[in-house]
Amino acid sequence: MLGLLLTSLVGFLLVVWISNRFHLLVYLGLAFPIGISAQTFGTFIWNFSGFGFGLTSIVLINLLIILVALVGIYSKYKPTSINGLFQANLKSTLGEITLPSLFFFGLSTFVVYAISVKSMFWPTLGIDSLTSFDLYAKALAAESTLLN
């Protein structure tokens, strides 16, 4: 859960660093994809630099990206408060939740639920793509490197 929150926070801060004029739903929608991309790239650079990776290094990478994003946001916008950071009125955008945004939020929630239920209650097979990815992840975790 901490990983999902850190990843979403990284993505949110990076999107705010790009522009402070987006709609609130754009910030929320892009937070996780941008965050997971930044985390993946940071992990690759970390590992390519010769360091092994694990839970501690991933948290450190996320905290480093958060620090860089906060410094970038401060130097770009020089906000005096949180309300002064955003040019769009965030309170008025909450009333603009549409049916497609609810549908995609529900679809994302269902996919996370379905994967969790499948992993918890049904044994995975050796030919399952999730299992093969899981085996690759276990090998990476055991070796602590991408460079074999």
Side-chain angles (χ1 to χ4, degrees), residues 5-104:
L5 291 175
L6 275 175
T7 302
S8 297
L9 180 63
V10 164
F12 180 79
L13 290 175
L14 289 175
V15 174
V16 169
W17 190 9
I18 292 169
S19 176
N20 65 346
R21 297 179 186 165
F22 290 139
H23 191 277
L24 177 64
L25 294 176
V26 173
Y27 289 120
L28 296 178
L30 290 177
F32 186 76
I34 297 292
I36 197 73
S37 301
Q39 181 178 349
T40 303
F41 183 71
T43 304
F44 174 74
I45 296 298
W46 180 271
N47 188 255
F48 192 72
S49 300
F51 300 108
F53 63 90
L55 178 63
T56 307
S57 63
I58 291 174
V59 170
L60 284 173
I61 290 165
N62 280 332
L63 292 177
L64 180 67
I65 295 172
I66 288 171
L67 182 66
V68 168
L70 286 174
V71 168
I73 289 169
Y74 183 76
S75 65
K76 184 174 182 180
Y77 302 117
K78 297 187 181 15
T80 56
S81 69
I82 292 293
N83 294 334
L85 177 62
F86 297 102
Q87 291 186 0
N89 186 1
L90 296 181
K91 289 182 181 176
S92 69
T93 59
L94 289 176
E96 298 178 15
I97 296 176
T98 61
L99 187 60
S101 65
L102 288 176
F103 172 76
F104 285 114

Side-chain angles (χ1 to χ4, degrees), residues 116-134:
S116 300
V117 167
K118 181 195 176 298
S119 297
M120 287 175 21
F121 297 115
W122 284 279
T124 54
L125 301 173
I127 57 172
D128 189 3
S129 62
L130 289 175
T131 304
S132 61
F133 179 74
D134 189 40

